[in-house]
Amino acid sequence: MLDDFFIRALLAGLGLALVAGPLGSFVVWRRMAYFGDSTAHAAILGVALSLAFNLSIYAGTLLVALVMAVVVTALVSRGQAMDTVLGVLAHSALAFGLVAISFVPSARADLNSYLFGDILTVGMADLTLIWIGALLVLGVLMWRWQNLLTATLNEELAMAAGINPRFERLLLSIALAVVVALSIRVIGSLLISAMLIVPAAAARALAPTPERMAANASLIAGLSVMLGLLSSLHLDTPAGPSIVAVAAIFFGISFVFRRG
């Protein structure tokens, strides 16, 4: 029989998997991998500030992730060598975060848990917050789905239809920041982007429609959580990396059944 801590970890992972599918699909469609890295890596700076000022880890991480998301969105709108700029921001955010956290003695011992997650320590309060946040983000994505999709596929067509692509991009950025804040305890700042991108990339090879891709991505993310946690339990491997490793295996398998 599974222990309570494992059940809580499984439920937390499934909550994030539910929203990782549709959000990760937009990350893949918009080629926002570095965007996600920048926001996720900034989470470490949020952790340092939270511990230094005795704030909630989720609150501090969300604040810094939102700031980074808005900054990156503004830079993306300018469209000048964005791959380089985002690459610099992603790695710089992580570097500044690690430097900042070195000044907080209480955080040094738990550094690995912030980098790679510690899903097995998730409590009921964490679990409640994760599900509330995930359902809120999922609700926003469902509400704005058609507008987001149109703005992603063709910005000129979106503007002709009365849709503001910049607003949709900002909304997506805020959703990403919220998921990053929710994921810091579960999967860690270094692996958040992978959890968004890898299941969506695997689903892309199999899905005939955007909606099917989003649903398949959530399914793959959920299976990755379950199998990753089980393998971690039986093989005594880190839970977060195990989950992402399983997702990577699904990505490899997806090429075997790739649609022509």
Side-chain angles (χ1 to χ4, degrees):
M1 191 170 181
L2 298 176
D3 292 324
D4 289 344
F5 75 89
F6 188 89
I7 299 297
R8 288 195 299 271
L10 180 60
L11 290 174
L14 291 177
L16 289 174
L18 184 66
V19 72
L23 185 58
S25 296
F26 279 109
V27 170
V28 169
W29 291 329
R30 285 180 169 268
R31 299 180 181 179
M32 294 169 63
Y34 268 136
F35 189 114
D37 282 341
S38 301
T39 307
H41 290 174
I44 289 296
L45 180 58
V47 169
L49 293 175
S50 299
L51 295 174
F53 294 99
N54 199 27
L55 301 172
S56 163
I57 293 294
Y58 294 109
T61 304
L62 178 59
L63 177 62
V64 174
L66 282 172
V67 170
M68 179 61 76
V70 171
V71 169
V72 172
T73 300
L75 289 173
V76 168
S77 298
R78 301 183 65 177
Q80 297 180 354
M82 279 302 100
D83 57 340
T84 302
V85 173
L86 291 177
V88 170
L89 282 176
H91 296 96
S92 299
L94 178 61
F96 278 111
L98 291 175
V99 169
I101 212 167
S102 69
F103 291 100
V104 186
S106 61
R108 294 180 185 178
D110 297 325
L111 183 57
N112 279 342
S113 68
Y114 299 127
L115 292 175
F116 302 106
D118 197 1
I119 192 172
L120 297 178
T121 64
V122 168
M124 284 303 301
D126 298 311
L127 185 58
T128 301
L129 191 59
I130 287 169
W131 270 93
I132 290 174
L135 290 175
L136 283 174
V137 172
L138 186 63
V140 169
L141 291 177
M142 292 176 64
W143 168 51
R144 305 294 297 181
W145 180 263
Q146 197 56 53
N147 287 1
L148 285 167
L149 192 59
T150 303
T152 297
L153 297 176
N154 191 316
E155 290 197 359
E156 289 77 14
L157 178 62
M159 287 188 287
I163 298 170
N164 186 345
R166 289 190 177 183
F167 174 77
E168 304 302 332
R169 189 186 300 122
L170 179 60
L171 192 65
L172 200 60
S173 303
I174 293 173
L176 183 61
V178 172
V179 171
V180 164
L182 295 175
S183 302
I184 191 71
R185 287 288 302 275
V186 175
I187 203 75
S189 68
L190 293 184
L191 300 175
I192 295 169
S193 290
M195 194 58 187
L196 288 167
I197 295 167
V198 179
R204 189 176 196 175
L206 308 172
T209 65
E211 291 77 14
R212 183 71 64 82
M213 175 176 164
N216 287 351
S218 288
L219 177 61
I220 291 171
L223 289 173
S224 299
V225 168
M226 289 188 285
L227 296 176
L229 284 175
L230 287 173
S231 66
S232 173
L233 184 65
H234 292 292
L235 302 176
D236 194 26
T237 55
S242 297
I243 291 170
V244 175
V246 172
I249 291 172
F250 277 118
F251 176 72
I253 293 172
S254 70
F255 280 94
V256 177
F257 302 97
R258 191 173 194 138
R259 296 171 65 247

